[in-house]
Amino acid sequence: QGFSPINLKIIRVNPCRFGRPLGRIGEAAVFHFNLMQVTFHTIAAGGDGVGRDENGRTVFAPYAAPGDVAQVKIVEERKNFARGHILDLQSASPQRSAPPCPYFVARRGDETTACGGCQIQHLSYAAQLDAKRALVGSALAHIGGFENAPVESCVPSPLTFAYRNKAQFFVENGAIGFHARHTHKVIDIARCPILMEPLNQALAAVRELFNGANANGASPARSFEVRVDSHGAIALRVAWENGIAFDRKPFFAALRERLPSLVDPHQAILEEEVSGLKFRVGAFDFFQVNPSLTPRLVETTLELCVPRTGQRALDLYCGSGLFGVSLARAGMDVTGVDKHGGLDANARLNDLSAKFLRGEAGRFLRRIAEQNEAKTARYDLVLLDPPRAGAADCIEPLARLRPARIVYVSCDPATLARDLKALVAQGYVLKRAVPHDMFPQTAHVESVAMLECR
């Protein structure tokens, strides 16, 4: 004690170096333990705290909060940064909050003992919102090259726990739950506080039936997904193990006794309602997982779209039509494109009209852009809601199409920043970026950005 940093090297001798054991010492290995004092100042994209040690080096550590001062054990060193684990919290940040989930914190600094579903339960909710706004701003600055990007305050979720309507549980050696941090090891979980209660009830019911399924203790399944809709109907889909005898018919019959609202697994269509609009959705097709905030997300998106009666809108990656149906209700002439979805059917369900084309967004845009060169196709608004990988294939043909306004809904700040940078290079101006906390307690954030043609 009294020295900082502390460098401790432990050397074990190879017991068989000369062809015979030298003693019960163990195999050759070298371990380095560096203890550094680190002051944390922000949260990184994956949820780790970011700070600087006494030498000014950047250090990442899980469970750190902005304002913490801690002794950190360095476990990985790179040229420009290091990673570590907090050993002693010397000065706790006022942004800290006691996490309610017993599976959130790792034991003895071993991240494989902690659930990987949440990353920032240890932050107060106000701190989580600040962190997510900063994540979007940082991505736009460092990846997109935007100076003073117009990032607004993160829109809070009405529910910060018990908000999620969908979950995938994994099964391994009798454990049923979620993957541990940075591994595929399954953490056994009795209930999850961010899930809506019907999902926890489904978890308990499936666990009971799986535990009694086989005398040898082998699980009949690798994983299962559960989802609950706006009216309380529950859908369940199981990924069964091969080679394990299991009678599925009595399993579902017994499950339905425990979960009366369970829908037929062969006809799993759920019904959602958002801001007065109805949607029929395939039980495991994409739909927003936080119904408490989805109406506000739609409201912000429409505000940025500035819909006008009679104008033409192109809804790319439209899915079930959450945004496209809302644009149709606002009076726009809407065409939606997706490999899967039902924009037209859900428009009719609400006595509205919209056109749906099944296909890849990038390929469709390239064809339409070629037509547009002959002035045969033109859209006033293009809305994109791509998967996490972003919409890189759409950028070049979209720029040729040159709609007056582009609205981009994204669940990944990094790919959002990359695609916005490319659109700005093609003559667009970023006007607004609004983060939404669709995933409280996690490091994920949904954003809506709006660009106008220069």
Side-chain angles (χ1 to χ4, degrees), residues 194-217:
I194 72 169
L195 300 184
M196 297 175 70
E197 185 56 26
L199 302 189
N200 282 312
Q201 293 172 358
L203 170 62
V206 172
R207 182 189 300 279
E208 178 187 353
L209 295 173
F210 278 2
N211 285 345
N214 289 282
N216 62 6

Side-chain angles (χ1 to χ4, degrees), residues 379-444:
Y379 290 92
D380 303 287
L381 166 73
V382 173
L383 171 69
L384 303 95
D385 184 13
R388 187 170 297 274
D393 290 346
C394 296
I395 303 303
E396 188 274 334
L398 183 56
R400 279 195 284 152
L401 199 63
R402 296 204 78 72
R405 187 178 299 246
I406 297 173
V407 174
Y408 192 132
V409 183
S410 170
C411 61
D412 186 84
T415 53
L416 172 68
R418 178 201 67 195
D419 292 346
L420 294 187
K421 178 180 181 179
L423 286 168
V424 167
Q426 295 285 350
Y428 281 84
V429 179
L430 176 62
K431 291 293 187 177
R432 294 178 65 186
V434 189
H436 288 67
D437 190 19
M438 296 296 290
F439 318 99
Q441 317 308 325
T442 80
H444 303 294

Side-chain angles (χ1 to χ4, degrees), residues 237-425:
R237 178 171 64 180
V238 182
W240 300 100
E241 280 284 10
N242 296 323
I244 295 181
F246 184 73
D247 196 341
R248 302 175 190 178
K249 188 174 180 179
F251 165 78
F252 280 105
L255 193 60
R256 192 166 286 108
E257 290 180 359
R258 292 159 173 79
L259 303 171
S261 57
L262 185 69
V263 302
D264 186 330
H266 302 292
Q267 299 176 352
I269 300 295
L270 299 181
E271 296 185 358
E272 301 287 357
E273 188 168 338
V274 180
S275 301
L277 293 172
K278 299 176 182 178
F279 299 88
R280 289 176 58 83
V281 184
F284 300 99
D285 291 346
F286 174 77
F287 206 79
Q288 294 293 340
V289 300
N290 182 349
S292 74
L293 187 58
T294 299
R296 181 63 187 276
L297 177 69
V298 174
E299 178 185 325
T300 300
T301 303
L302 288 181
E303 179 186 335
L304 269 59
C305 287
V306 194
R308 291 186 172 87
T309 300
Q311 287 189 339
R312 301 184 69 201
L314 182 60
D315 184 3
L316 301 176
Y317 309 95
C318 65
S320 299
L322 175 64
F323 302 113
V325 174
S326 300
L327 290 171
R329 183 168 65 174
M332 298 196 79
D333 178 6
V334 180
T335 299
V337 181
D338 204 331
K339 291 188 292 185
H340 311 282
L343 168 63
D344 53 344
N346 282 321
R348 290 193 298 272
L349 185 64
N350 292 279
D351 297 321
L352 298 167
S353 177
K355 184 178 181 181
F356 173 66
L357 300 174
R358 192 175 301 276
E360 294 184 356
R363 184 177 301 173
F364 171 83
L365 271 182
R366 285 190 290 274
R367 178 167 59 84
I368 293 299
E370 292 171 359
Q371 296 177 9
N372 191 53
E373 291 178 357
K375 306 300 182 186
T376 59
R378 186 172 293 279
Y379 290 92
D380 303 287
L381 166 73
V382 173
L383 171 69
L384 303 95
D385 184 13
R388 187 170 297 274
D393 290 346
C394 296
I395 303 303
E396 188 274 334
L398 183 56
R400 279 195 284 152
L401 199 63
R402 296 204 78 72
R405 187 178 299 246
I406 297 173
V407 174
Y408 192 132
V409 183
S410 170
C411 61
D412 186 84
T415 53
L416 172 68
R418 178 201 67 195
D419 292 346
L420 294 187
K421 178 180 181 179
L423 286 168
V424 167

Side-chain angles (χ1 to χ4, degrees), residues 141-219:
H142 295 107
I143 299 174
F146 292 92
E147 294 185 7
N148 302 316
V151 182
E152 301 175 20
S153 297
C154 188
V155 178
S157 173
L159 296 177
T160 58
F161 288 96
Y163 67 84
R164 191 177 175 92
N165 65 9
K166 181 181 178 182
Q168 181 178 18
F169 298 98
F170 300 93
V171 185
E172 179 185 67
N173 299 326
I176 302 178
F178 302 122
H179 285 143
R181 288 173 177 254
H182 311 306
T183 77
H184 286 92
K185 174 186 173 183
V186 176
I187 301 295
D188 195 47
I189 288 174
R191 61 181 294 109
C192 172
I194 72 169
L195 300 184
M196 297 175 70
E197 185 56 26
L199 302 189
N200 282 312
Q201 293 172 358
L203 170 62
V206 172
R207 182 189 300 279
E208 178 187 353
L209 295 173
F210 278 2
N211 285 345
N214 289 282
N216 62 6
S219 172

Side-chain angles (χ1 to χ4, degrees), residues 76-94:
E76 179 184 353
E77 296 190 85
R78 298 290 183 90
K79 181 178 180 181
N80 296 318
F81 68 91
R83 299 187 184 277
H85 299 291
I86 293 176
L87 289 185
D88 178 38
L89 188 58
Q90 298 175 323
S91 176
S93 167

